[in-house]
Amino acid sequence: MNITINGELLTIKSAALVEILQNFGAQPPYAVAINGEFIPQSQHGNYVLNEGDSVELLSPIQGG
Amino acid sequence: MQTKDCLTIYGEQINSRLLIGSALYPSPAVMEESIKASGSQIVTVSLRRQQSAAAGDDFWQLIKNTGLKILPNTAGCHSVKEAVTLAKMCREVFATDWIKLELIGDDYNLQPDPFALLEATKILIDDGFKVLPYCTDDLVLCQRLNELGCEVLMPWGAPIGTGKGLLNSYNLKIIRERLPNTTLIVDAGLGLPSHACQALELGYDAVLLNSAIAGAGCPITMSRAFKAAVEAGRFAYKAKAMPEKDLAAPSTPTMGMPFWHQQ
């Protein structure tokens, strides 16, 4: 199954969000949105992705 | 007994009237020193795609170590949906319901989109956010944002990063007069400490800036200058300025003038 994570195309075996984040090397703190919708951390454990989903993994950065 | 003259943001008392950004500094060390020198109690941050985990974590550790209150922003968002999603992500990562709501309507001057701003503000306030909207200096927009429940408004001085100062001090003055109980912060466009001083002299409660310090030749020294400027501006506002006159009025007494004016 193909998804994108932070704009990068990825072929994945498991559709479980937590495994995808782990394989991507996600480092806390971060927040996740899928197809433009915020997915709270409390829902990560049960969340399963679908073909073509777009994951955004965001972390703190400088801001003005 | 005189109560302490504090800035109030959604019921929280803040001792500094300068809110500072964390971007564009020449190095993390200069950023840290500049933030310290500013005396600020609130620092702005953002969220972006996780790239180098180590670099991002270093930045975040440094900001956390300052112990300052965090004000996340939605910089770069062009639609209500983007801004609302990013605000929710910020709330989770930074564990705060404060959000500096930025919604850009024009890429050329980064002018806030007033219509989308109102829409996003309503959604976020209904969701429990304490919204600090970055807006234009339009009185009616400010009134509408206030009616939606914004206790803080942040009209621009000038477009972001221009350093032009208060381009329309008339508008800013009118907003101050018409919304006397709202916390008003000039956000964006300041370049010099005198610009910050002017904002405080007009009765604005604080200023939020980044480029003016980070882009200065010596950011740490400029940071000290801005700290002094907001203090001077606030004292001047509290002191109430003398009335302006069109004609000269002598300050030295004219009674008892010496011989050279005698007939």
Side-chain angles (χ1 to χ4, degrees):
Chain A
M1 187 169 90
N2 293 319
I3 60 150
T4 56
I5 182 161
N6 285 356
E8 192 181 314
L9 186 64
L10 221 62
T11 303
I12 52 166
K13 286 176 189 163
S14 165
L17 176 61
V18 280
E19 282 188 46
I20 292 162
L21 294 175
Q22 203 172 12
N23 293 340
F24 188 74
Q27 295 289 321
Y30 59 77
V32 172
I34 297 176
N35 303 326
E37 296 289 342
F38 168 59
I39 309 296
Q41 206 147 23
S42 58
Q43 293 175 20
H44 288 191
N46 301 323
Y47 200 95
V48 176
L49 276 84
N50 295 308
E51 173 72 29
D53 277 352
S54 172
V55 181
E56 293 288 341
L57 171 68
L58 306 189
S59 284
I61 192 171
Q62 295 86 340
Chain B
M1 193 175 77
Q2 194 180 4
T3 53
K4 204 171 176 191
D5 182 33
C6 286
L7 168 69
T8 304
I9 295 187
Y10 285 100
E12 288 198 40
Q13 304 296 303
I14 309 290
N15 289 323
S16 166
R17 294 180 181 273
L18 175 58
L19 287 70
I20 193 165
S22 56
L24 304 172
Y25 290 90
S27 71
V30 171
M31 177 192 77
E32 191 180 14
E33 284 305 308
S34 300
I35 291 172
K36 272 188 200 164
S38 73
S40 295
Q41 289 191 306
I42 298 170
V43 62
T44 52
V45 295
S46 198
L47 285 180
R48 286 294 180 271
R49 283 176 171 172
Q50 195 171 99
Q51 305 285 346
S52 158
D57 193 49
D58 285 351
F59 162 75
W60 181 228
Q61 280 306 324
L62 218 155
I63 290 292
K64 274 206 297 189
N65 290 344
T66 64
L68 300 182
K69 194 157 178 65
I70 300 296
L71 175 58
N73 71 28
T74 61
C77 289
H78 285 70
S79 72
V80 172
K81 186 175 166 57
E82 283 170 8
V84 168
T85 303
L86 192 56
K88 289 176 179 175
M89 296 171 88
C90 283
R91 180 162 63 178
E92 184 173 83
V93 169
F94 299 115
T96 176
D97 49 13
W98 284 14
I99 191 76
K100 175 186 166 181
L101 183 60
E102 277 190 55
L103 239 162
I104 300 304
D106 184 274
D107 280 329
Y108 183 71
N109 65 355
L110 300 177
Q111 181 168 333
D113 178 334
F115 311 102
L117 190 62
L118 285 171
E119 203 181 325
T121 297
K122 173 146 186 29
I123 294 168
L124 292 173
I125 285 181
D126 287 348
D127 196 18
F129 279 90
K130 288 166 178 157
V131 179
L132 292 84
Y134 164 57
C135 56
T136 50
D137 53 17
D138 182 285
L139 172 65
V140 179
L141 171 63
C142 288
Q143 287 172 323
R144 296 286 180 274
L145 287 164
N146 195 228
E147 284 160 12
L148 285 176
C150 291
E151 293 180 19
V152 181
L153 300 175
M154 304 204 295
W156 67 352
I160 296 172
T162 59
K164 288 181 180 294
L166 309 184
L167 288 183
N168 197 332
S169 55
Y170 171 80
N171 274 13
L172 293 170
K173 189 165 174 273
I174 294 298
I175 293 166
R176 175 69 291 171
E177 284 171 9
R178 297 297 300 278
L179 297 170
N181 301 317
T182 304
T183 295
L184 295 177
I185 299 171
V186 169
D187 178 11
L190 305 187
L192 288 167
S194 54
H195 300 154
C197 192
Q198 282 169 19
L200 273 288
E201 284 169 354
L202 281 178
Y204 275 67
D205 298 284
V207 293
L208 194 165
L209 54 92
N210 193 154
S211 309
I213 291 176
C218 182
I220 301 164
T221 305
M222 190 57 91
S223 188
R224 289 191 196 112
F226 271 100
K227 180 176 190 271
V230 293
E231 286 167 2
R234 183 63 182 176
F235 278 134
Y237 175 68
K238 298 285 279 184
K240 294 184 175 61
M242 63 163 274
E244 204 177 303
K245 292 182 189 127
D246 286 331
L247 294 175
S251 50
T252 303
T254 49
M255 207 174 74
M257 288 290 284
F259 56 88
W260 60 83
H261 273 277
Q262 287 172 0
Q263 301 234 334

PDB file of all heavy atoms in Angstrom, chain A residues 2-12 20 23-24 53-56, chain B residues 49-51:
ATOM      1  N   ASN A   2       0.454   2.243  -0.750  1.00  0.00           N
ATOM      2  CA  ASN A   2       1.235   3.477  -0.842  1.00  0.00           C
ATOM      3  C   ASN A   2       0.571   4.616  -0.057  1.00  0.00           C
ATOM      4  O   ASN A   2      -0.635   4.820  -0.162  1.00  0.00           O
ATOM      5  CB  ASN A   2       1.376   3.908  -2.298  1.00  0.00           C
ATOM      6  CG  ASN A   2       2.219   2.936  -3.087  1.00  0.00           C
ATOM      7  OD1 ASN A   2       3.236   2.433  -2.603  1.00  0.00           O
ATOM      8  ND2 ASN A   2       1.801   2.644  -4.310  1.00  0.00           N
ATOM      9  N   ILE A   3       1.405   5.323   0.672  1.00  0.00           N
ATOM     10  CA  ILE A   3       0.938   6.543   1.363  1.00  0.00           C
ATOM     11  C   ILE A   3       2.025   7.613   1.171  1.00  0.00           C
ATOM     12  O   ILE A   3       3.119   7.308   0.667  1.00  0.00           O
ATOM     13  CB  ILE A   3       0.742   6.312   2.888  1.00  0.00           C
ATOM     14  CG1 ILE A   3       2.076   5.878   3.533  1.00  0.00           C
ATOM     15  CG2 ILE A   3      -0.350   5.299   3.152  1.00  0.00           C
ATOM     16  CD1 ILE A   3       2.206   6.297   4.964  1.00  0.00           C
ATOM     17  N   THR A   4       1.735   8.830   1.557  1.00  0.00           N
ATOM     18  CA  THR A   4       2.808   9.821   1.633  1.00  0.00           C
ATOM     19  C   THR A   4       2.922  10.288   3.080  1.00  0.00           C
ATOM     20  O   THR A   4       1.916  10.398   3.792  1.00  0.00           O
ATOM     21  CB  THR A   4       2.557  11.056   0.723  1.00  0.00           C
ATOM     22  OG1 THR A   4       1.315  11.628   1.069  1.00  0.00           O
ATOM     23  CG2 THR A   4       2.563  10.689  -0.747  1.00  0.00           C
ATOM     24  N   ILE A   5       4.149  10.522   3.495  1.00  0.00           N
ATOM     25  CA  ILE A   5       4.380  11.076   4.835  1.00  0.00           C
ATOM     26  C   ILE A   5       5.341  12.258   4.678  1.00  0.00           C
ATOM     27  O   ILE A   5       6.415  12.116   4.098  1.00  0.00           O
ATOM     28  CB  ILE A   5       4.888  10.002   5.833  1.00  0.00           C
ATOM     29  CG1 ILE A   5       5.069  10.610   7.216  1.00  0.00           C
ATOM     30  CG2 ILE A   5       6.090   9.251   5.352  1.00  0.00           C
ATOM     31  CD1 ILE A   5       5.123   9.589   8.346  1.00  0.00           C
ATOM     32  N   ASN A   6       4.891  13.395   5.109  1.00  0.00           N
ATOM     33  CA  ASN A   6       5.611  14.656   4.901  1.00  0.00           C
ATOM     34  C   ASN A   6       6.055  14.827   3.447  1.00  0.00           C
ATOM     35  O   ASN A   6       7.181  15.219   3.157  1.00  0.00           O
ATOM     36  CB  ASN A   6       6.808  14.760   5.854  1.00  0.00           C
ATOM     37  CG  ASN A   6       6.362  15.070   7.269  1.00  0.00           C
ATOM     38  OD1 ASN A   6       5.177  15.271   7.523  1.00  0.00           O
ATOM     39  ND2 ASN A   6       7.284  15.094   8.201  1.00  0.00           N
ATOM     40  N   GLY A   7       5.155  14.471   2.559  1.00  0.00           N
ATOM     41  CA  GLY A   7       5.395  14.658   1.131  1.00  0.00           C
ATOM     42  C   GLY A   7       6.206  13.562   0.463  1.00  0.00           C
ATOM     43  O   GLY A   7       6.398  13.559  -0.753  1.00  0.00           O
ATOM     44  N   GLU A   8       6.676  12.596   1.264  1.00  0.00           N
ATOM     45  CA  GLU A   8       7.540  11.528   0.745  1.00  0.00           C
ATOM     46  C   GLU A   8       6.675  10.280   0.500  1.00  0.00           C
ATOM     47  O   GLU A   8       5.936   9.852   1.401  1.00  0.00           O
ATOM     48  CB  GLU A   8       8.580  11.236   1.832  1.00  0.00           C
ATOM     49  CG  GLU A   8       9.735  10.367   1.411  1.00  0.00           C
ATOM     50  CD  GLU A   8      10.681  10.142   2.608  1.00  0.00           C
ATOM     51  OE1 GLU A   8      11.004  11.145   3.299  1.00  0.00           O
ATOM     52  OE2 GLU A   8      11.054   8.992   2.864  1.00  0.00           O
ATOM     53  N   LEU A   9       6.777   9.732  -0.722  1.00  0.00           N
ATOM     54  CA  LEU A   9       5.980   8.544  -1.060  1.00  0.00           C
ATOM     55  C   LEU A   9       6.574   7.326  -0.362  1.00  0.00           C
ATOM     56  O   LEU A   9       7.794   7.098  -0.411  1.00  0.00           O
ATOM     57  CB  LEU A   9       5.959   8.350  -2.579  1.00  0.00           C
ATOM     58  CG  LEU A   9       5.045   7.227  -3.088  1.00  0.00           C
ATOM     59  CD1 LEU A   9       3.581   7.524  -2.784  1.00  0.00           C
ATOM     60  CD2 LEU A   9       5.250   7.005  -4.583  1.00  0.00           C
ATOM     61  N   LEU A  10       5.722   6.539   0.277  1.00  0.00           N
ATOM     62  CA  LEU A  10       6.204   5.393   1.050  1.00  0.00           C
ATOM     63  C   LEU A  10       5.338   4.173   0.743  1.00  0.00           C
ATOM     64  O   LEU A  10       4.115   4.280   0.693  1.00  0.00           O
ATOM     65  CB  LEU A  10       6.063   5.734   2.533  1.00  0.00           C
ATOM     66  CG  LEU A  10       7.177   5.334   3.484  1.00  0.00           C
ATOM     67  CD1 LEU A  10       8.474   6.012   3.121  1.00  0.00           C
ATOM     68  CD2 LEU A  10       6.781   5.707   4.918  1.00  0.00           C
ATOM     69  N   THR A  11       5.984   3.019   0.508  1.00  0.00           N
ATOM     70  CA  THR A  11       5.233   1.775   0.369  1.00  0.00           C
ATOM     71  C   THR A  11       5.298   1.065   1.715  1.00  0.00           C
ATOM     72  O   THR A  11       6.396   0.834   2.242  1.00  0.00           O
ATOM     73  CB  THR A  11       5.843   0.892  -0.736  1.00  0.00           C
ATOM     74  OG1 THR A  11       5.859   1.665  -1.946  1.00  0.00           O
ATOM     75  CG2 THR A  11       5.022  -0.360  -0.957  1.00  0.00           C
ATOM     76  N   ILE A  12       4.125   0.772   2.276  1.00  0.00           N
ATOM     77  CA  ILE A  12       4.090   0.214   3.629  1.00  0.00           C
ATOM     78  C   ILE A  12       3.432  -1.165   3.650  1.00  0.00           C
ATOM     79  O   ILE A  12       2.583  -1.469   2.817  1.00  0.00           O
ATOM     80  CB  ILE A  12       3.338   1.163   4.605  1.00  0.00           C
ATOM     81  CG1 ILE A  12       1.944   1.532   4.027  1.00  0.00           C
ATOM     82  CG2 ILE A  12       4.137   2.408   4.869  1.00  0.00           C
ATOM     83  CD1 ILE A  12       1.019   2.157   5.020  1.00  0.00           C
ATOM     84  N   ILE A  20       3.745   2.963  11.285  1.00  0.00           N
ATOM     85  CA  ILE A  20       4.245   3.849  10.222  1.00  0.00           C
ATOM     86  C   ILE A  20       5.106   4.962  10.824  1.00  0.00           C
ATOM     87  O   ILE A  20       6.195   5.256  10.326  1.00  0.00           O
ATOM     88  CB  ILE A  20       3.060   4.425   9.405  1.00  0.00           C
ATOM     89  CG1 ILE A  20       2.398   3.293   8.617  1.00  0.00           C
ATOM     90  CG2 ILE A  20       3.513   5.535   8.471  1.00  0.00           C
ATOM     91  CD1 ILE A  20       1.010   3.612   8.136  1.00  0.00           C
ATOM     92  N   ASN A  23       8.399   3.434  11.987  1.00  0.00           N
ATOM     93  CA  ASN A  23       9.296   3.123  10.862  1.00  0.00           C
ATOM     94  C   ASN A  23       9.873   4.386  10.221  1.00  0.00           C
ATOM     95  O   ASN A  23      10.983   4.376   9.709  1.00  0.00           O
ATOM     96  CB  ASN A  23       8.557   2.308   9.787  1.00  0.00           C
ATOM     97  CG  ASN A  23       8.205   0.926  10.302  1.00  0.00           C
ATOM     98  OD1 ASN A  23       8.801   0.445  11.260  1.00  0.00           O
ATOM     99  ND2 ASN A  23       7.222   0.284   9.679  1.00  0.00           N
ATOM    100  N   PHE A  24       9.086   5.456  10.279  1.00  0.00           N
ATOM    101  CA  PHE A  24       9.562   6.722   9.701  1.00  0.00           C
ATOM    102  C   PHE A  24      10.627   7.358  10.599  1.00  0.00           C
ATOM    103  O   PHE A  24      11.380   8.224  10.182  1.00  0.00           O
ATOM    104  CB  PHE A  24       8.383   7.686   9.520  1.00  0.00           C
ATOM    105  CG  PHE A  24       8.716   8.938   8.770  1.00  0.00           C
ATOM    106  CD1 PHE A  24       8.912   8.921   7.394  1.00  0.00           C
ATOM    107  CD2 PHE A  24       8.847  10.157   9.432  1.00  0.00           C
ATOM    108  CE1 PHE A  24       9.213  10.091   6.699  1.00  0.00           C
ATOM    109  CE2 PHE A  24       9.148  11.316   8.742  1.00  0.00           C
ATOM    110  CZ  PHE A  24       9.328  11.285   7.377  1.00  0.00           C
ATOM    111  N   ASP A  53      -3.376   7.710   1.512  1.00  0.00           N
ATOM    112  CA  ASP A  53      -3.482   8.710   2.585  1.00  0.00           C
ATOM    113  C   ASP A  53      -2.213   9.561   2.664  1.00  0.00           C
ATOM    114  O   ASP A  53      -1.107   9.092   2.365  1.00  0.00           O
ATOM    115  CB  ASP A  53      -3.709   8.017   3.944  1.00  0.00           C
ATOM    116  CG  ASP A  53      -5.175   7.667   4.188  1.00  0.00           C
ATOM    117  OD1 ASP A  53      -6.025   8.099   3.390  1.00  0.00           O
ATOM    118  OD2 ASP A  53      -5.450   6.945   5.161  1.00  0.00           O
ATOM    119  N   SER A  54      -2.427  10.784   3.099  1.00  0.00           N
ATOM    120  CA  SER A  54      -1.303  11.708   3.237  1.00  0.00           C
ATOM    121  C   SER A  54      -1.122  12.061   4.719  1.00  0.00           C
ATOM    122  O   SER A  54      -2.027  12.623   5.339  1.00  0.00           O
ATOM    123  CB  SER A  54      -1.599  12.958   2.418  1.00  0.00           C
ATOM    124  OG  SER A  54      -0.630  13.929   2.685  1.00  0.00           O
ATOM    125  N   VAL A  55       0.037  11.699   5.251  1.00  0.00           N
ATOM    126  CA  VAL A  55       0.320  11.929   6.677  1.00  0.00           C
ATOM    127  C   VAL A  55       1.229  13.146   6.812  1.00  0.00           C
ATOM    128  O   VAL A  55       2.217  13.273   6.088  1.00  0.00           O
ATOM    129  CB  VAL A  55       1.035  10.701   7.303  1.00  0.00           C
ATOM    130  CG1 VAL A  55       1.302  10.929   8.791  1.00  0.00           C
ATOM    131  CG2 VAL A  55       0.226   9.438   7.076  1.00  0.00           C
ATOM    132  N   GLU A  56       0.870  14.035   7.726  1.00  0.00           N
ATOM    133  CA  GLU A  56       1.756  15.158   8.073  1.00  0.00           C
ATOM    134  C   GLU A  56       2.211  14.969   9.515  1.00  0.00           C
ATOM    135  O   GLU A  56       1.374  14.804  10.416  1.00  0.00           O
ATOM    136  CB  GLU A  56       1.026  16.503   7.935  1.00  0.00           C
ATOM    137  CG  GLU A  56       0.653  16.878   6.514  1.00  0.00           C
ATOM    138  CD  GLU A  56       1.832  17.272   5.635  1.00  0.00           C
ATOM    139  OE1 GLU A  56       2.905  17.614   6.184  1.00  0.00           O
ATOM    140  OE2 GLU A  56       1.678  17.216   4.392  1.00  0.00           O
TER     141      GLU A  56
ATOM    142  N   ARG B  49       7.027  20.364   9.211  1.00  0.00           N
ATOM    143  CA  ARG B  49       7.328  18.953   8.987  1.00  0.00           C
ATOM    144  C   ARG B  49       8.629  18.548   9.682  1.00  0.00           C
ATOM    145  O   ARG B  49       9.627  19.273   9.595  1.00  0.00           O
ATOM    146  CB  ARG B  49       7.490  18.689   7.488  1.00  0.00           C
ATOM    147  CG  ARG B  49       6.170  18.631   6.758  1.00  0.00           C
ATOM    148  CD  ARG B  49       6.404  18.477   5.285  1.00  0.00           C
ATOM    149  NE  ARG B  49       5.157  18.201   4.572  1.00  0.00           N
ATOM    150  CZ  ARG B  49       5.050  18.173   3.259  1.00  0.00           C
ATOM    151  NH1 ARG B  49       6.101  18.426   2.493  1.00  0.00           N
ATOM    152  NH2 ARG B  49       3.900  17.895   2.679  1.00  0.00           N
ATOM    153  N   GLN B  50       8.579  17.406  10.336  1.00  0.00           N
ATOM    154  CA  GLN B  50       9.767  16.921  11.037  1.00  0.00           C
ATOM    155  C   GLN B  50      10.829  16.531  10.008  1.00  0.00           C
ATOM    156  O   GLN B  50      10.600  15.678   9.166  1.00  0.00           O
ATOM    157  CB  GLN B  50       9.403  15.711  11.897  1.00  0.00           C
ATOM    158  CG  GLN B  50      10.462  15.380  12.909  1.00  0.00           C
ATOM    159  CD  GLN B  50       9.996  14.320  13.915  1.00  0.00           C
ATOM    160  OE1 GLN B  50      10.323  13.156  13.768  1.00  0.00           O
ATOM    161  NE2 GLN B  50       9.249  14.730  14.923  1.00  0.00           N
ATOM    162  N   GLN B  51      11.970  17.198  10.085  1.00  0.00           N
ATOM    163  CA  GLN B  51      13.054  16.894   9.143  1.00  0.00           C
ATOM    164  C   GLN B  51      14.157  16.175   9.906  1.00  0.00           C
ATOM    165  O   GLN B  51      14.114  14.992  10.123  1.00  0.00           O
ATOM    166  CB  GLN B  51      13.588  18.186   8.496  1.00  0.00           C
ATOM    167  CG  GLN B  51      12.525  19.027   7.815  1.00  0.00           C
ATOM    168  CD  GLN B  51      12.068  18.454   6.487  1.00  0.00           C
ATOM    169  OE1 GLN B  51      12.704  17.577   5.924  1.00  0.00           O
ATOM    170  NE2 GLN B  51      10.944  18.957   5.981  1.00  0.00           N
TER     171      GLN B  51
END
